[in-house]
Amino acid sequence: MIVLAPAWSPTTSLLLLLLLLSPRLRGAPDCSFPHSPISSTFTSTIGKLSDYLLQDYPVTVASNLQDDELCGAFWRLVLAQRWMGRLKTVAGSQMEKLLEAVNTEIHFVTSCAFQPLPSCLRFVQANISHLLQDTSQQLVALKPWITRRNFSRCLELQCQPDLISK
């Protein structure tokens, strides 16, 4: 009886090892951007939306996100992107186009596998003008780092610890 064995070459073994070590196969989420998803025209896009909105339209913003140099801006964009999605569902057709344009600027955050929002997160009411201004500031803050950093450790929003007063 003759038994045929697969022909394993050093190249095949190396490819198999690389596949097994791949972060996506190990279950480790990857949240990095080899090319910048942040356009050079985001301030204009956000400005066009601002021109058409009631500046005192109420939205909620997180009041107790952890201060984190790398993740803070990313987390705020995640929350802003959720607002853009909600606003699009109640907007008229013209406003929906403007909201979609802003959403397109920040939609890249949805390519990362975020954990559900933590129960410790607290929200306060703010004007939409504050949310849009903050969104623009977060894009400015991320632009120089977006292709240089891996945001995988940012996939779970963190709350500031509660201060217990005695």
Side-chain angles (χ1 to χ4, degrees):
M1 171 181 232
I2 299 175
V3 177
L4 298 175
W8 289 96
S9 70
T11 305
T12 306
S13 298
L14 180 60
L15 285 174
L16 183 59
L17 179 63
L18 288 174
L19 280 172
L20 290 172
L21 294 176
S22 169
R24 292 194 188 272
L25 292 178
R26 285 195 323 257
D30 182 38
C31 185
S32 59
F33 303 92
H35 305 288
S36 181
I38 301 174
S39 78
S40 60
T41 59
F42 70 84
T43 53
S44 172
T45 303
I46 292 172
K48 286 177 186 173
L49 176 59
S50 292
D51 290 344
Y52 285 92
L53 285 173
L54 294 171
Q55 295 302 302
D56 60 350
Y57 184 85
V59 295
T60 56
V61 294
S63 63
N64 66 331
L65 277 176
Q66 181 72 35
D67 290 329
D68 186 286
E69 188 177 30
L70 176 65
C71 300
F74 209 70
W75 292 336
R76 283 174 175 71
L77 289 178
V78 167
L79 296 173
Q81 193 279 325
R82 289 175 181 220
W83 258 113
M84 292 304 120
R86 277 186 249 156
L87 290 171
K88 280 185 353 183
T89 64
V90 297
S93 61
Q94 288 298 104
M95 185 65 71
E96 186 178 357
K97 290 176 188 173
L98 295 168
L99 287 163
E100 181 56 34
V102 171
N103 191 47
T104 298
E105 296 289 348
I106 58 178
H107 192 262
F108 67 91
V109 298
T110 65
S111 66
C112 299
F114 281 92
Q115 299 296 315
L117 295 181
S119 61
C120 62
L121 205 54
R122 288 191 303 272
F123 293 89
V124 295
Q125 189 168 331
N127 295 335
I128 193 151
S129 55
H130 170 77
L131 176 68
L132 292 174
Q133 181 181 6
D134 185 62
T135 298
S136 187
Q137 290 171 349
Q138 303 316 320
L139 288 167
V140 167
L142 279 179
K143 193 161 179 71
W145 303 109
I146 194 75
T147 59
R148 298 180 188 171
R149 301 285 175 100
N150 186 322
F151 294 89
S152 297
R153 74 170 186 85
C154 301
L155 299 180
E156 185 175 344
L157 279 74
Q158 302 287 318
C159 301
Q160 291 180 1
D162 285 331
L163 298 174
I164 301 172
S165 57
K166 293 186 178 190

